[in-house]
């Protein structure tokens, strides 16, 4: 019996790996000052990628809108943060929304409390912003809210997650009375097991909002430790601390490979697992993060579009 040659006609298409499948539809976060360092996002991101724009205290709204406009022009979906504690009143919120829509065609937002201790006006949490009805009246098609798989000391100072869970129940109920699609985008983590347990608890509590899990892109260990401590990452911090004891790894960038592979494998085995997307925080730089994603999705660097 002759051996049939493997020609292009009988090759079997390569199946996507679990990690590749899990990374489909990922998003990334930028700030106006970091976005300004990228000459053309079309060279590093797939067309249509959702790009969150972080709004830190002191950032002028003009810079935020300009960044959203640029991303829209280059073919991406801008999703600006709308931080409650930086907004003085409903009129200011309406002005921001009008500018985002009029200049950048924005129809999506991450609505959150914001990273300042003292509110600048009447709002102190995302629920107050949602209750104004401004987003519904403006026809926003997607509203994301924050999630904390390992709790938040800013919200629950006693170390519990009582208030965090109460807020998620409220947001679940709100999702059922708005036309906008909603999802939870989380703080970054480094240990998959607490994330898996948290997602299971949400399901048990009747919180069915899809979860976009926060992932820190490749970065030096010292950088990740600094951000993890500042952001109140809990059990995951032990992963970084263990690595810090290995001197041979201190000079090597920490990558999310193992963390994502564990979640991807769990998702493949449990299709109803509530985590549906990956959201990257490029703590070690946007180019390093997008390069890692390209290497783990089998994707070539996108060509510049006209």
């Amino acid at each position: 019996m002759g051996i049939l040659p493997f020609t292009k006609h009988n090759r079997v298409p390569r199946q996507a790996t679990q990690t590749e499948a899990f990374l489909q539809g990922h998003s990334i976060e930028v700030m106006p000052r970091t976005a300004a360092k990228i000459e053309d996002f079309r060279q590093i991101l797939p067309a249509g990628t959702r790009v969150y724009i972080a709004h830190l205290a002191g950032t002028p709204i003009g810079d935020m809108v300009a960044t959203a406009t640029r991303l829209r022009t280059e073919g991406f979906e801008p999703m600006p943060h709308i931080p409650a504690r930086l907004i003085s009143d409903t009129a200011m919120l309406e002005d921001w929304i009008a500018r985002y829509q009029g200049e950048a065609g924005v129809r999506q937002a991450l609505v959150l409390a914001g990273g300042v201790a003292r509110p600048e006006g009447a709002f102190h949490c995302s629920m107050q912003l949602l209750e104004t009805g401004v987003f519904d009246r403006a026809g926003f098609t997607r509203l994301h809210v924050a999630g904390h798989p390992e709790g938040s000391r800013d919200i629950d100072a006693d170390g519990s997650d009582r208030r965090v869970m109460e807020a998620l129940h409220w947001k679940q109920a709100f999702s059922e009375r708005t036309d906008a699609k909603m999802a939870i985008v989380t703080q970054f983590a480094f240990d998959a097991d607490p994330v898996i347990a948290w997602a299971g608890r949400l399901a048990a509590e009747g919180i069915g909002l899809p979860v976009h899990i926060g992932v820190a892109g490749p970065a030096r260990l010292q950088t990740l430790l600094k951000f993890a401590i500042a952001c109140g990452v809990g059990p995951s911090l032990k992963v970084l601390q263990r690595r810090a004891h290995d001197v041979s790894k201190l000079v090597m960038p920490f990558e999310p490979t193992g963390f994502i592979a564990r979640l991807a494998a769990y998702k493949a085995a449990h299709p109803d697992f509530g985590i549906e997307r990956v959201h990257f925080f490029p703590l070690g730089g946007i180019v390093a993060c997008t390069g890692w994603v390209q290497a783990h999705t089998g994707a070539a660097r996108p060509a510049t579009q006209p």
Side-chain angles (χ1 to χ4, degrees):
M1 181 182 294
I3 299 177
L4 295 175
F6 286 92
T7 68
K8 65 180 180 180
H9 299 293
N10 54 26
R11 287 176 184 159
V12 177
R14 184 180 69 85
Q15 294 294 313
T17 67
Q18 292 175 346
T19 292
E20 288 173 346
F22 192 61
L23 290 174
Q24 291 302 306
H26 69 274
S27 57
I28 192 169
E29 184 161 303
V30 303
M31 295 178 287
R33 62 179 176 83
T34 56
K37 298 176 182 179
I38 303 299
E39 182 176 349
D40 190 336
F41 277 95
R42 290 170 291 191
Q43 296 178 351
I44 60 173
L45 287 177
T49 298
R50 178 178 295 119
V51 183
Y52 292 67
I53 310 170
H55 194 154
L56 303 184
T59 304
I61 185 62
D63 291 356
M64 292 289 298
V65 174
T67 302
T69 302
R70 176 206 169 174
L71 288 166
R72 173 68 71 198
T73 300
E74 293 182 3
F76 303 100
E77 189 62 52
M79 177 177 263
H81 290 197
I82 309 293
R85 295 176 187 174
L86 298 184
I87 299 174
S88 59
D89 52 30
T90 301
M92 184 177 184
L93 174 61
E94 290 173 334
D95 176 65
W96 282 18
I97 296 304
R99 293 188 62 179
Y100 276 127
Q101 290 191 323
E103 299 178 41
V106 168
R107 293 294 186 276
Q108 304 186 9
L110 170 60
V111 187
L112 71 174
V116 295
R118 182 170 299 177
E120 295 187 7
F123 303 117
H124 64 82
C125 70
S126 60
M127 292 176 287
Q128 290 175 313
L129 294 186
L130 294 172
E131 282 180 327
T132 65
V134 170
F135 296 100
D136 281 333
R137 290 196 297 272
F140 267 55
T141 59
R142 181 171 285 275
L143 296 170
H144 287 186
V145 293
H148 306 274
E150 299 176 347
S152 170
R153 287 282 183 175
D154 289 339
I155 302 173
D156 287 293
D158 61 0
S160 71
D161 64 357
R162 180 181 60 83
R163 295 178 65 188
V164 166
M165 292 303 296
E166 287 176 354
L168 286 179
H169 277 289
W170 187 96
K171 292 165 186 175
Q172 173 68 40
F174 180 84
S175 74
E176 295 165 4
R177 61 177 191 268
T178 179
D179 292 331
K181 294 181 179 178
M182 293 187 68
I184 300 168
V185 60
T186 79
Q187 181 59 274
F188 57 84
F190 302 100
D191 188 348
D193 288 340
V195 170
I196 291 170
W198 176 75
R201 184 178 173 202
L202 293 187
E205 291 269 352
I207 299 171
L209 294 173
V211 175
H212 296 199
I213 187 67
V215 176
R220 294 191 308 165
L221 185 61
Q222 296 91 328
T223 299
L224 294 182
L225 283 167
K226 179 184 72 174
F227 279 105
I229 293 170
C231 296
V233 172
S236 281
L237 186 58
K238 295 178 181 178
V239 174
L240 300 182
Q241 291 170 331
R242 286 196 299 268
R243 185 181 176 95
H245 291 303
D246 187 341
V247 178
S248 66
K249 295 180 179 179
L250 286 176
V251 297
M252 300 295 293
F254 184 90
E255 298 184 348
T257 310
F259 175 69
I260 287 181
R262 172 84 170 95
L263 292 178
Y266 193 87
K267 179 73 172 180
H270 304 84
D272 59 345
F273 183 43
I275 294 180
E276 294 190 358
R277 295 285 186 272
V278 174
H279 174 60
F280 284 99
F281 294 87
L283 303 183
I286 296 172
V287 173
C289 184
T290 57
W292 184 92
V293 174
Q294 289 164 8
H296 289 81
T297 56
R301 184 172 292 274
T304 302
Q305 300 174 358

